[in-house]
């Protein structure tokens, strides 16, 4: 069969783009070569609807072992008693949970998208806001922080069926214990979506949601540094609170409902080549080397936060406990859209992002979101963060000067060549 040179040329261009620039998108990271190797393996050919040992297809004896390894490793990593590693993404994981525990029209309480939440936490343009009745909590205008007493009061007053903890652009830790107490008072389930800080949580650098939340979801890329995908976990399995029975008359456990929420509820056959990549990544996360990595991620974020503040940038909440920060650019008279498009010219990749109480549309925004997971994978440390911020500031302050931006780009490309990616990987 003729090689598709057009596609492979584009793949090579993307490789060069990733290697040449500074990657600061908080939801992106670089997997290890062995994760990419597994994802390009013959496992992509196998259909395996169902669960290990309970498949609807023959020939699953090998992928059963692969998937079981992924399950056992992620349970060990987080201290979970149960996990499903089949969700194709974090959004799919959240969809499966909601299908399993909610009925259309049920009330949910999530973190406001415009304050740093996620689409799947009740946004009206997403399934979560279309199928269910969304209500929201947010941050305080004066501090950029969540007031947990207000969240507790809101849970008590709204009495939702499901409360969602977690965000895509909030730089502080979460008070899962307080949320669980309020949820127990009103009979609500508490789900934590830890897609962003999951790696820091796994290594004990942030509060542990599995001790307090009924259900925990996560992506497997971002700080976990695995393939793009999702996972659902529980600290302890429990009987469903609605008295739903199995065909044999036994009360269904929550794990059974969640499994069925994934398949056949929201997905068909699992992607066993991706699950193999997840298994490898979870194994990598269990090492001391990975523990040192996530400590460096947070140290780098704190160093970058200081450098931005020293340059006069407005960092929402004034600091960070995890790997990211949200920056309000209104004091610099620059929109998020302009910042994103200008920084791309210098081979710096960030994303525009709404900030709390934003006065611009989601297509323009007043802010940017930056994270340190990817640059830390490349080997950069705290001393490198002020240099990155200097590059960002030079570029933004010269957004109308293409010649200066070109100079910055050349400096960045030369610097990044000192931190090669994909060693030993030819894909």
């Amino acid at each position: 069969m003729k090689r598709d040179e057009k596609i492979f040329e584009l793949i090579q261009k993307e490789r060069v783009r990733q290697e040449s620039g500074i990657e600061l998108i908080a939801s992106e990271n670089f997997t290890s070569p062995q994760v990419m190797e597994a994802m390009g393996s013959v496992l992509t050919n196998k259909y395996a609807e169902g669960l290990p040992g309970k498949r609807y297809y023959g020939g699953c004896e090998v992928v059963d072992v692969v998937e079981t390894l992924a399950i056992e490793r992620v349970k060990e990593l987080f201290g979970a008693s149960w996990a499903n590693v089949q969700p194709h993404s974090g959004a799919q994981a959240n969809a499966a949970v909601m299908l399993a525990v909610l009925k259309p029209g049920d009330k949910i309480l999530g973190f406001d998208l415009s304050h740093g939440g996620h689409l799947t936490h009740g946004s009206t343009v997403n399934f979560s806001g279309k199928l269910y009745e969304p209500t929201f909590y947010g941050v305080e205008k004066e501090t950029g922080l969540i007031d947990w007493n207000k969240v507790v009061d809101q849970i008590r007053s709204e009495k939702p069926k499901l409360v969602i903890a977690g965000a895509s652009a909030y730089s502080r830790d979460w008070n899962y214990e307080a949320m669980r107490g309020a949820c127990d008072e009103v009979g609500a389930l508490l789900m934590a979506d830890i897609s962003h800080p999951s790696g820091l949580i796994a290594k004990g650098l942030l509060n542990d949601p599995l001790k307090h939340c009924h259900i925990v979801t996560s992506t497997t890329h971002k700080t976990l540094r695995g393939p793009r995908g999702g996972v659902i976990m529980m600290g302890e399995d429990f009987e469903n609170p609605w008295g739903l029975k199995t065909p044999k008359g036994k009360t269904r456990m929550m794990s059974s409902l969640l499994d069925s929420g994934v398949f056949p509820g929201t997905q068909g056959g699992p992607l066993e080549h991706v699950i193999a990549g997840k298994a490898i990544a979870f194994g990598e996360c269990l090492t001391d080397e990975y523990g040192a990595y996530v400590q460096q991620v947070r140290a780098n974020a704190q160093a970058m936060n200081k450098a931005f503040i020293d340059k006069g940038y407005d960092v929402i909440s004034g600091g960070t406990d995890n790997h990211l920060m949200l920056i309000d650019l209104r004091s610099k008279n620059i929109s998020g859209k302009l910042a994103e498009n200008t920084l791309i010219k210098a081979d710096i990749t960030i994303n525009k992002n709404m900030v709390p109480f934003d006065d611009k549309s989601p297509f323009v925004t007043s802010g940017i979101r930056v994270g340190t997971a990817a640059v830390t994978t490349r080997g950069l440390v705290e001393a490198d963060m002020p240099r990155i911020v200097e590059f960002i500031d030079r570029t933004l302050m010269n957004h109308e000067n293409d010649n200066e931006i070109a100079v910055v780009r050349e400096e960045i490309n030369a610097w990044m060549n000192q931190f090669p990616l994909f060693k030993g990987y030819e894909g």
Side-chain angles (χ1 to χ4, degrees):
M1 187 176 295
K2 184 179 178 181
R3 182 176 172 84
D4 194 329
E5 295 296 345
K6 183 171 290 187
I7 289 296
F8 287 104
E9 286 174 6
L10 290 169
I11 290 172
Q12 179 59 25
K13 285 184 178 180
E14 174 61 16
R15 178 172 180 158
V16 170
R17 187 196 69 81
Q18 292 183 21
E19 289 180 316
S20 301
I22 298 175
E23 179 55 71
L24 294 174
I25 292 179
S27 53
E28 293 190 12
N29 210 333
F30 303 111
T31 72
S32 67
Q34 61 178 345
V35 168
M36 290 186 284
E37 183 180 352
M39 292 178 67
S41 71
V42 297
L43 294 176
T44 192
N45 301 322
K46 189 69 195 91
Y47 220 93
E49 283 185 349
L51 294 165
K54 299 177 181 179
R55 304 289 190 181
Y56 291 84
Y57 287 80
C60 293
E61 56 271 12
V62 175
V63 295
D64 276 2
V65 178
V66 170
E67 188 167 331
T68 299
L69 276 172
I71 292 169
E72 293 305 316
R73 287 176 179 179
V74 77
K75 285 164 58 178
E76 181 182 355
L77 180 63
F78 285 96
S81 68
W82 172 89
N84 186 306
V85 297
Q86 292 188 4
H88 302 332
S89 66
Q92 289 291 103
N94 291 344
V97 171
M98 292 182 191
L99 181 69
V101 306
L102 297 173
K103 294 178 181 179
D106 279 349
K107 183 182 288 188
I108 62 176
L109 176 64
F111 189 39
D112 194 319
L113 177 66
S114 66
H115 286 211
H118 191 260
L119 282 168
T120 58
H121 298 178
S123 172
T124 54
V125 300
N126 182 257
F127 78 89
S128 57
K130 292 178 182 291
L131 295 179
Y132 311 109
E133 180 186 344
T135 55
F136 302 100
Y137 58 94
V139 302
E140 299 299 297
K141 191 170 186 178
E142 297 77 16
T143 64
L145 296 169
I146 297 171
D147 183 328
W148 296 108
N149 291 325
K150 288 186 177 180
V151 174
V152 166
D153 288 342
Q154 199 167 351
I155 293 171
R156 289 169 175 162
S157 63
E158 295 285 357
K159 295 180 173 58
K161 288 288 185 69
L162 179 71
V163 176
I164 306 169
S168 64
Y170 185 65
S171 63
R172 298 301 190 169
D173 206 350
W174 290 75
N175 191 338
Y176 306 110
E177 184 175 8
M179 298 180 84
R180 176 59 184 268
C183 285
D184 286 347
E185 289 180 28
V186 302
L189 291 176
L190 177 60
M191 181 187 91
D193 180 346
I194 61 170
S195 293
H196 272 274
S198 51
L200 285 75
I201 289 169
K203 291 300 183 181
L205 301 182
L206 294 169
N207 291 333
D208 182 4
L210 278 94
K211 291 181 179 179
H212 305 289
C213 300
H214 295 94
I215 304 163
V216 174
T217 65
S218 181
T219 54
T220 51
H221 42 292
K222 301 187 177 83
T223 53
L224 284 179
R225 208 161 55 174
R228 298 186 62 82
V231 62
I232 307 171
M233 300 176 286
M234 287 191 292
E236 295 293 340
D237 200 1
F238 58 98
E239 291 184 352
N240 79 85
W242 311 284
L244 300 175
K245 304 292 184 180
T246 69
K248 294 183 179 180
K250 292 183 178 180
T251 301
R252 290 189 69 180
M253 300 300 289
M254 185 56 68
S255 58
S256 172
L257 291 176
L258 294 173
D259 279 335
S260 63
V262 177
F263 171 81
T266 55
Q267 296 183 181
L271 309 177
E272 292 296 341
H273 57 303
V274 179
I275 290 173
K278 293 178 184 180
I280 292 170
F282 298 149
E284 293 171 346
C285 291
L286 287 166
T287 64
D288 292 340
E289 179 184 0
Y290 178 80
Y293 161 74
V294 289
Q295 289 179 2
Q296 189 64 60
V297 167
R298 187 162 74 166
N300 284 351
Q302 292 170 351
M304 182 175 285
N305 172 79
K306 182 180 184 303
F308 271 117
I309 291 174
D310 288 346
K311 285 284 187 183
Y313 287 84
D314 180 11
V315 180
I316 301 297
S317 86
T320 180
D321 298 324
N322 55 33
H323 67 298
L324 63 80
M325 62 216 74
L326 186 59
I327 300 169
D328 189 336
L329 295 172
R330 284 177 287 193
S331 64
K332 300 289 186 177
N333 199 30
I334 299 172
S335 72
K337 181 179 180 180
L338 176 61
E340 179 183 294
N341 292 339
T342 303
L343 290 168
I344 282 290
K345 296 178 184 178
D347 279 350
I348 301 171
T349 312
I350 55 90
N351 64 275
K352 61 182 178 293
N353 212 99
M354 293 189 75
V355 297
F357 310 99
D358 208 325
D359 56 2
K360 296 182 176 65
S361 80
F363 300 101
V364 178
T365 80
S366 295
I368 57 174
R369 183 187 65 167
V370 297
T372 57
V375 292
T376 307
T377 294
R378 296 197 73 163
L380 277 68
V381 297
E382 296 103 308
D384 298 311
M385 298 303 107
R387 187 174 184 185
I388 291 176
V389 173
E390 175 66 26
F391 282 136
I392 291 171
D393 187 59
R394 279 175 60 192
T395 303
L396 294 182
M397 294 303 102
N398 290 279
H399 61 86
E400 295 180 341
N401 187 342
D402 286 343
N403 290 333
E404 178 61 19
I405 293 172
V407 171
V408 172
R409 180 174 181 166
E410 289 179 3
E411 292 178 23
I412 287 172
N413 294 161
W415 189 34
M416 287 298 101
N417 285 337
Q418 301 172 38
F419 302 94
L421 281 168
F422 316 127
K423 294 178 182 178
Y425 179 71
E426 299 303 323

